[in-house]
Amino acid sequence: MKGIIASPGVAIASAFVMKQTVVEIDMTPTANETERAEQEQLFRDAIAATEQQLNEVIEITEQRLSAKEADVFRAHLMMLFDPTFEDAVMEKINGSAMKAARAVKEATVEVADMLASLDDEYLRERAADIRDVGGRVLDNVTGNVRVSLNDLRDEVVVFANDLTPSDTAMMDMNYVKGFVTEVGGRTSHTSIIARIMGLPAIVGTGDILSHVKHGDTVVLDAVDGDIVINPTAEELAAAEAKLEKYLEHVRELDAVKMLPAETKDGHHVEVVGNIASPADCKGVLENGGEGVGLFRTEFLYMKSPELPSEEVQFEAYKTAAEALEGRPLVIRTLDIGGDKAADCISFPAEMNPFLGWRAVRMYFDRLDIIKPQMRALLRAAAYGNILVMFPMIISAEEIFKMKEIIEECKAELRAEGKEFNENMPIGTMVETPAACINADKLAQIVDFFSIGTNDLTQYVLAVDRGNEAIAAMYQPLHPAVLRAMKMVIDASHKEGKWTGVCGELAGDERGAVILLGLGLDEFSMSAGSIPTIKNLIRRANVARVREVVEECLTYFTTEEVTARIDKLIEEIYA
Ligand code: PEP
Ligand code: MG
């Protein structure tokens, strides 16, 4: 059977099937005040018991994972005491004469349904959190005893319709080797916790509980997303080989991720991470990132109903800079528009938003947006190694105008006696054909380039990056894109400047090999890709890669490029 890979890995063990116990709910109404008072007390006692259990979960999570992961359950404690939930239950007990169990059950469903109906994927997934809390309270009202995954003493793969985040955090990984759930998505807390624990997991399989029995031997292949129930001897041998290969791969990546990204023949490059908030720095560093090559600041704007103030931004940038302890932190100014919207900024209706009033283009109409951001950046740059860059640049005028704005901000800060960095380096993203063609000019007026391959591909090829109907035409390895990137890298080197890539291509094995051959200096990617790319670079010989990539630049088709690079990657890993 197949499902969504929530957390990668391979496990072979016997099945532990968690069947939902159906709790009997007393539907009869209470008869009088005394009974209502009793039910109210039952509810209060259940809240107290739940509070105690959640504190235990927090303690175990802190020991096994970290204080940060335990925050999920601190949020559960807050939900437990959230007046919306409590008021709903009390109203049902006192106003509608429901017994406590029914009141808790209905109040949980109401709050969870409300969350589940929201547009925001993140908030929708929080419906699972409130069901977790409400389910605990209900168990405590009815005296239902939960199976604790902390008490298992055999090696198992857990199968369930759904697992709560607390079920997951309580799994003792000495015994639980992985889990499978019929429902769920990649961004639920259950999946996030599994990834942090490094526990293989597949979710969203649809009906699987009617196919698997307690004690069946199962193969959980969370590399390809397959589950095999009662495998044949042959399937079992294949799974064992796969598990061994996977473990070897993990050991290899673990061993190299903290080492420098240096090729066999001594060529050194930077491997850094992409982040969307200061908290993401931790994952970048843990995966061996040597800094941050792209902080997408639009997320500060997207989650707030009002424009984030200079102070809020200053704190965010300073926190990230300090977390990186002097390592480079490339911050991109607001890149809103195109497919990214924010409630705090109103946009005109446009025929072609990707070619419209977006990114740097809006700054000159909205100095009230760019100036507070620039002031916050200049001030935060006094606390770490901050570099700034601008999105969607098409011309030198835009850079000149940005430099004027920066000078104005500096003059204001000076007059106000505020501390800031006079020499914050200024770079530009290269995402448009115009920026590539004029790269020799732009290289003279900025300190560095960072190629946004996601957008560059769409603009060079005139292929919408989000349109599924033409997804096959969206080819970052198209010869035209490769040649455009070569122009940019060569132009920067001629001026003694450096070039990075912060689009998805840098974290892709094929892309990284090509970029290495093109002479790229900095590779910026999501934290999870860093170990793989570092490993690849460390195994490569840059002279050989350059030779092959040069050959690729003479090819006619993407297909030829891809085939040649795949062969080269095989050679590198051999
Ligand atoms: C890019 O376009 O490659 C890029 C890094 O920016 P974004 O994906 O945020 O548009
Ligand atoms: Mg972009």
Side-chain angles (χ1 to χ4, degrees):
M1 297 195 63
K2 287 215 160 274
I4 302 162
I5 300 166
S7 171
V10 180
I12 306 165
S14 63
F16 179 88
V17 181
M18 277 175 80
K19 288 258 160 64
Q20 230 82 351
T21 42
V22 186
V23 182
E24 283 291 324
I25 305 272
D26 186 349
M27 301 296 277
T28 58
T30 47
N32 50 43
E33 271 313 312
T34 323
E35 274 188 37
R36 281 193 270 287
E38 276 168 21
Q39 293 301 311
E40 194 178 318
Q41 192 53 47
L42 199 56
F43 172 60
R44 300 261 173 241
D45 292 346
I47 292 278
T50 307
E51 182 184 10
Q52 197 182 342
Q53 288 162 355
L54 281 174
N55 279 324
E56 268 168 47
V57 174
I58 291 170
E59 200 176 308
I60 292 186
T61 308
E62 276 181 346
Q63 283 163 12
R64 289 206 187 134
L65 301 169
S66 75
K68 181 162 169 278
E69 274 64 60
D71 280 349
V72 174
F73 304 111
R74 285 197 198 91
H76 281 195
L77 267 184
M78 281 167 70
M79 287 181 185
L80 180 66
F81 292 108
D82 183 340
T84 322
F85 176 65
E86 191 178 329
D87 291 352
V89 175
M90 294 311 272
E91 199 283 321
K92 288 175 198 309
I93 292 177
N94 290 317
S96 312
M98 287 185 197
K99 296 257 168 74
R102 183 175 173 196
V104 167
K105 176 143 194 176
E106 293 193 3
T108 306
V109 170
E110 266 168 30
V111 181
D113 283 357
M114 189 272 290
L115 287 170
S117 70
L118 297 176
D119 254 354
D120 184 311
E121 188 190 354
Y122 180 82
L123 288 176
R124 267 205 313 275
E125 297 282 10
R126 301 293 73 76
D129 292 302
I130 188 76
R131 284 193 201 103
D132 190 356
V133 178
R136 268 183 193 281
V137 178
L138 184 60
D139 284 342
N140 286 318
V141 166
T142 57
N144 182 38
V145 180
R146 288 192 163 212
V147 195
S148 170
L149 295 172
N150 195 27
D151 299 336
L152 286 173
R153 288 297 170 265
D154 291 311
E155 291 198 354
V156 296
V157 170
V158 173
F159 285 76
N161 172 258
D162 197 4
L163 284 171
T164 62
S166 59
D167 285 333
T168 313
M170 293 297 274
M171 287 177 179
D172 183 340
M173 285 184 57
N174 289 315
Y175 301 103
V176 179
K177 295 296 161 193
F179 69 80
V180 178
T181 62
E182 293 182 320
V183 300
R186 258 187 67 80
T187 54
S188 69
H189 269 138
T190 300
S191 299
I192 293 170
I193 288 173
R195 283 198 287 281
I196 293 165
M197 291 167 79
L199 185 65
I202 294 183
V203 300
T205 57
D207 172 38
I208 195 165
L209 295 189
S210 63
H211 300 275
V212 64
K213 290 189 309 299
H214 218 69
D216 280 350
T217 299
V218 290
V219 172
L220 172 66
D221 174 356
V223 171
D224 289 322
D226 296 323
I227 300 133
V228 187
I229 301 165
N230 292 323
T232 60
E234 216 168 281
E235 285 168 330
L236 197 59
E240 274 159 3
K242 196 164 192 174
L243 174 61
E244 196 36 57
K245 199 166 152 215
Y246 182 79
L247 292 177
E248 194 187 305
H249 180 65
V250 170
R251 282 192 292 268
E252 183 177 343
L253 293 187
D254 255 0
V256 305
K257 70 183 185 189
M258 294 299 169
L259 300 174
E262 191 172 303
T263 61
K264 282 199 164 136
D265 47 347
H267 176 70
H268 186 268
V269 295
E270 301 278 314
V271 177
V272 293
N274 291 348
I275 62 169
S277 81
D280 298 340
C281 290
K282 182 167 175 261
V284 169
L285 295 178
E286 282 171 0
N287 279 287
E290 297 158 314
V292 163
L294 170 64
F295 181 165
R296 288 184 162 98
T297 57
E298 45 278 14
F299 291 94
L300 288 172
Y301 294 74
M302 284 173 163
K303 64 180 186 196
S304 143
E306 291 140 34
L307 287 173
S309 66
E310 176 182 326
E311 243 11 77
V312 164
Q313 295 193 61
F314 166 68
E315 283 302 328
Y317 307 147
K318 175 170 172 266
T319 306
E322 287 177 343
L324 295 176
E325 298 176 330
R327 295 176 185 87
L329 166 61
V330 180
I331 304 186
R332 176 174 76 185
T333 51
L334 178 64
D335 182 15
I336 209 86
D339 59 345
K340 288 179 276 195
D343 288 344
C344 59
I345 301 171
S346 59
F347 286 89
E350 295 182 305
M351 290 287 280
N352 291 300
F354 270 113
L355 304 180
W357 190 69
R358 60 169 296 199
V360 75
R361 299 170 185 188
M362 81 165 10
Y363 302 167
F364 310 121
D365 300 325
R366 293 293 306 266
L367 292 177
D368 62 315
I369 294 178
I370 192 61
K371 281 185 72 178
Q373 178 164 42
M374 201 47 79
R375 287 170 52 104
L377 285 164
L378 285 162
R379 288 173 54 203
Y383 295 85
N385 188 1
I386 292 181
L387 303 84
V388 67
M389 66 179 179
F390 315 119
M392 280 294 292
I393 291 287
I394 57 166
S395 63
E397 283 98 315
E398 289 164 337
I399 304 280
F400 293 141
K401 278 201 213 166
M402 284 312 302
K403 286 188 171 177
E404 271 171 36
I405 291 175
I406 291 174
E407 285 314 311
E408 261 174 53
C409 291
K410 284 183 181 172
E412 286 172 14
L413 292 170
R414 233 176 265 126
E416 292 163 27
K418 293 209 167 112
E419 194 185 0
F420 68 96
N421 181 356
E422 284 276 3
N423 303 309
M424 178 172 68
I426 296 167
T428 183
M429 299 234 5
V430 177
E431 306 180 271
T432 61
C436 296
I437 296 164
N438 275 339
D440 57 340
K441 292 283 178 279
L442 295 177
Q444 297 175 40
I445 59 172
V446 295
D447 297 313
F448 66 93
F449 286 149
S450 183
I451 306 176
T453 52
N454 307 340
D455 276 320
L456 185 63
T457 305
Q458 88 166 337
Y459 294 126
V460 165
L461 302 180
V463 172
D464 183 342
R465 70 193 252 190
N467 184 342
E468 275 181 28
I470 47 169
M473 293 173 73
Y474 182 85
Q475 298 169 348
L477 301 186
H478 188 294
V481 181
L482 303 190
R483 294 170 77 182
M485 293 193 297
K486 181 172 165 49
M487 285 173 75
V488 176
I489 296 169
D490 289 351
S492 70
H493 290 171
K494 220 177 205 160
E495 295 296 330
K497 313 283 168 71
W498 58 269
T499 297
V501 162
C502 60
E504 292 305 305
L505 198 63
D508 170 82
E509 290 190 71
R510 282 177 184 151
V513 167
I514 291 190
L515 293 169
L516 181 67
L518 290 176
L520 191 78
D521 305 287
E522 181 229 47
F523 297 63
S524 194
M525 60 200 71
S526 52
S529 305
I530 293 172
T532 304
I533 300 302
K534 265 198 175 176
N535 183 39
L536 181 67
I537 290 169
R538 290 181 57 82
R539 282 168 157 267
N541 199 306
V542 78
R544 171 76 181 138
V545 173
R546 274 189 199 132
E547 192 181 295
V548 174
V549 170
E550 213 133 282
E551 198 187 308
C552 287
L553 287 168
T554 68
Y555 290 167
F556 284 79
T557 66
T558 310
E559 208 181 317
E560 286 168 286
V561 174
T562 309
R564 186 67 195 87
I565 293 300
D566 282 350
K567 237 177 92 190
L568 177 60
I569 290 176
E570 253 175 56
E571 191 184 306
I572 292 172
Y573 281 127

